[in-house]
Amino acid sequence: MSRPCRNFQPGLCYHITTRCNNREFRLTRLECREVFLYAIKKAQEKYGFKLYAVCIMSNHVHYLLEPKQPEELPKIMHWLNWYTAMCFNRMLNRTGHFWEKRYHSTVNSYQLSVISYQ
């Protein structure tokens, strides 16, 4: 069975969650969090999306973002997950998948509920 298509719409915010492979606690080190914030900054420069909130947990990350063009969301997430996986695997001296499955995204028209999660 194939995955359902994502329904992207202009001018909306998306609550996105991505989790470490095997639900392992790989984001506990301060260096990992700093690399993550650097990667988000680079992705913003590259794609120009608005980031309303980010919450880096020990084994997953929440974003609340609004892409310039809705069809850019998969490109943004692909780049972020690729870049951070490459950096984290190098830092942690490991190989293989860093992120589990694909990211989860939902349209969020009421941003405060997600931001209060932090």
Side-chain angles (χ1 to χ4, degrees):
M1 186 167 123
S2 64
R3 298 187 274 202
C5 293
R6 296 185 191 267
N7 183 18
F8 300 116
Q9 300 173 12
L12 295 178
C13 289
Y14 294 88
H15 174 209
I16 299 165
T17 307
T18 187
R19 183 168 51 200
C20 293
N21 201 22
N22 297 323
R23 299 181 182 187
E24 293 173 345
F25 296 94
R26 298 269 183 201
L27 302 173
T28 56
R29 293 174 44 185
L30 179 61
E31 296 88 3
C32 289
R33 293 167 185 256
E34 290 170 348
V35 165
F36 210 96
L37 294 175
Y38 175 77
I40 291 170
K41 182 180 174 186
K42 287 194 59 95
Q44 279 184 295
E45 291 170 3
K46 184 175 175 80
Y47 294 103
F49 60 88
K50 293 180 185 174
L51 180 69
Y52 294 105
V54 64
C55 183
I56 305 169
M57 308 300 280
S58 55
N59 70 345
H60 66 284
V61 180
H62 293 270
Y63 306 88
L64 184 60
L65 64 84
E66 180 183 345
K68 270 187 178 177
Q69 302 298 322
E71 62 276 0
E72 287 185 344
L73 185 59
K75 294 174 187 174
I76 294 166
M77 292 310 299
H78 173 75
W79 189 89
L80 264 173
N81 286 347
W82 164 78
Y83 186 84
T84 54
M86 182 182 61
C87 292
F88 295 150
N89 278 343
R90 239 183 253 149
M91 284 174 61
L92 302 172
N93 197 26
R94 64 180 304 279
T95 60
H97 293 281
F98 189 86
W99 300 111
E100 182 176 281
K101 302 180 186 175
R102 68 177 184 166
Y103 64 93
H104 176 75
S105 68
T106 55
V107 173
N108 191 332
S109 56
Y110 40 92
Q111 299 148 347
L112 293 179
S113 63
V114 176
I115 293 171
S116 65
Y117 177 77
Q118 295 181 25

